Amino acid sequence: MAELLPPHGGLSEPVCCTVSEKDAAAFKQEAAGLKQVPVSSADVSSVYRFADGTLSPLTGPMDRKTYDRVLEESVVESNGKKYAWTIPIAFPVTAALAKTLAVGEKVALTNPEGEIIATLDVSDVYPWDKCKYLSSVYGTGRVDHPGADMVLKGPDAEKAFLIGGTIRALPQPKNPKFGQYVLTPREVRKLLAETGWDAAVAFQTRNPLHRAHEYALVYALEKLLKDGKNAGAVLNPLIGETKGDDVNAVVRMETYEKLISERQMGDGDSDVELWKKRGESVPDRVKLLGLDIKMFYAGPKEAIMHGIYRQNMGYSHIVIGRKHADVPYYDGTAIWGDFDAQEIFNKLNGDLKIKPVNVGFAAYYDSMGRVDLMENHKDEKPVFISGKDVRNTLVKGEMVDPRIMRESTSRILAAAMKQ
């Protein structure tokens, strides 16, 4: 069995606050008599991720002291030691509801359908300083960006307080379309251990893959192999709450599934000599697993959180591209620098074991007949199509240039968008 990275926070195994199947009925019966606290659809996934250990070493939403320390120092404390943590997580509630909650009280958390999904032993109820949160997490006083909208305009707009405490949650229901790919940290760790790999690199995405995106995963895998590792890669898309104009998770998972099942990953873009010597190809070392947690659209700070989630799953490395988790202001100007998400890994105030594999922008070059890093072609024009043109092509039900996007991905997206 390969030795996997320990979970974040100096733990020997991930946190587990999930109710067992045998205790579920009694748990539901007790929870039915408790005061109910509604949780937004975006935060429902956080409830389950506290419970299954993806957010280890936390066992629930943060109290005020922990929350403020993350905003001020980007750390949490565990067993007397500081660990990197860049975005605080607590559950927003209205002022009216906050007045009815008491520290030490146990409440039931409900999803938007009104179903009880967890209980929370309340440890703190405190005002939500939204300006402080936004300026710390996003590094800007401006609010014309998707991260600010989540706090100021969405379901949380009317919520002025936060609650912290310890969670106990029912197991998360499986999505009927792609639930088999969404595993708990313990399940991912078991799967990785069984591969025998001594390094596993996770590739984070919230979008269908262009060949240039796909190449970032291929490049990272090849780099680890060239460094002498018995490495594998996991295409690990985030399938929690995203922006309204992002492609929905069901359609995206279908595109990823096709890439994997048709063994297209790296086709035409991989290092032929490397794989020939090994007697294998990229698809032999790539798996697909989803991660159900929301996007914050927080650039560098979110890159660290993406690393924390993956360390808890047992991955040793994570691909960090230029502009990782990036969105611009609504006028199109950049919030962060191209390399900020890579550089933040060198400036942490606390421990983080997972290592980034930094990858630059990639594109297709006719001179090579394949995708390569743009830094290797400073004087050559790549094949480039704007996102707007890609979308217009797909809406018409047409295929995107195969130098930009795999045919299977084009086909699935065109069918979805035409509807």
Side-chain angles (χ1 to χ4, degrees), residues 31 119 317:
T119 59
H317 295 77

Side-chain angles (χ1 to χ4, degrees), residues 110-407:
T110 60
N111 64 19
E113 290 72 50
E115 300 159 330
I116 292 171
I117 56 170
T119 59
L120 179 74
D121 287 305
V122 179
S123 66
D124 208 350
V125 184
Y126 53 103
W128 188 6
D129 186 338
K130 294 185 179 185
C131 290
K132 183 177 179 181
Y133 170 82
L134 290 172
S135 63
S136 170
V137 171
Y138 297 92
T140 174
R142 286 175 60 172
V143 293
D144 55 326
H145 56 88
D149 280 357
M150 291 165 71
V151 172
L152 302 175
K153 292 184 182 173
D156 292 342
E158 303 305 312
K159 297 174 182 173
F161 283 77
L162 296 169
I163 54 171
T166 303
I167 289 257
R168 279 193 81 217
L170 292 162
Q172 184 173 16
K174 290 276 191 189
N175 184 293
K177 298 272 194 194
F178 54 74
Q180 73 269 32
Y181 297 112
V182 183
L183 306 181
T184 68
R186 281 172 166 73
E187 290 167 337
V188 176
R189 286 173 165 272
K190 183 170 182 287
L191 185 150
L192 292 176
E194 286 165 358
T195 63
W197 299 338
D198 60 13
V201 61
F203 181 75
Q204 152 75 31
T205 183
R206 67 173 198 267
N207 295 306
L209 298 190
H210 293 205
R211 276 176 71 173
H213 296 149
E214 182 193 307
Y215 183 70
L217 179 150
V218 173
Y219 171 88
L221 172 59
E222 291 181 345
K223 183 178 188 309
L224 292 176
L225 291 171
K226 288 171 185 173
D227 288 346
K229 300 281 190 191
N230 173 25
V234 177
L235 174 54
N236 195 212
L238 189 143
I239 54 164
E241 187 94 343
T242 54
K243 291 191 283 101
D245 59 350
D246 285 345
V247 178
N248 77 56
V250 171
V251 174
R252 283 194 293 117
M253 286 302 284
E254 196 183 339
T255 66
Y256 307 138
E257 198 173 22
K258 214 48 153 179
L259 278 176
I260 299 286
S261 66
E262 294 188 359
R263 295 178 60 82
Q264 295 172 337
M265 292 292 292
D267 186 23
D269 300 328
S270 57
D271 183 331
V272 176
E273 285 305 308
L274 171 74
W275 293 101
K276 196 169 153 191
K277 270 193 294 197
R278 302 187 64 88
E280 52 185 359
S281 62
V282 173
D284 297 321
R285 289 183 170 265
V286 178
K287 295 186 181 298
L288 171 63
L289 291 172
L291 172 57
D292 182 8
I293 200 163
K294 74 176 184 181
M295 275 295 297
F296 292 92
Y297 301 98
K301 292 274 179 100
E302 189 157 17
I304 298 302
M305 297 307 299
H306 287 164
I308 290 168
Y309 310 152
R310 274 48 179 233
Q311 180 177 326
N312 282 325
M313 298 272 179
Y315 300 106
S316 58
H317 295 77
I318 180 170
V319 179
I320 302 293
R322 285 167 69 175
K323 292 187 169 293
H324 187 101
D326 190 278
V327 291
Y329 292 114
Y330 288 137
D331 65 6
T333 57
I335 303 177
W336 308 285
D338 285 0
F339 297 99
D340 287 5
Q342 297 178 351
E343 290 165 0
I344 193 174
F345 280 83
N346 302 320
K347 303 172 184 170
L348 298 176
N349 293 327
D351 181 81
L352 182 65
K353 298 267 187 283
I354 197 167
K355 297 282 181 256
V357 180
N358 294 335
V359 185
F361 286 141
Y364 188 98
Y365 288 91
D366 279 327
S367 62
M368 295 183 74
R370 55 163 281 194
V371 174
D372 194 23
L373 293 178
M374 291 173 75
E375 64 208 45
N376 299 333
H377 301 264
K378 290 192 167 65
D379 302 320
E380 190 181 344
K381 197 168 181 240
V383 176
F384 180 76
I385 300 175
S386 74
K388 188 178 173 187
D389 286 342
V390 168
R391 187 172 283 269
N392 289 342
T393 301
L394 293 168
V395 167
K396 286 187 225 157
E398 295 170 5
M399 299 287 103
V400 176
D401 185 333
R403 295 173 296 179
I404 300 291
M405 186 179 277
R406 300 282 181 201
E407 191 187 327

Side-chain angles (χ1 to χ4, degrees), residues 76-89:
V76 294
E77 196 170 308
S78 176
N79 297 317
K81 191 176 169 189
K82 292 197 293 188
Y83 291 88
W85 200 286
T86 45
I87 302 179
I89 306 174

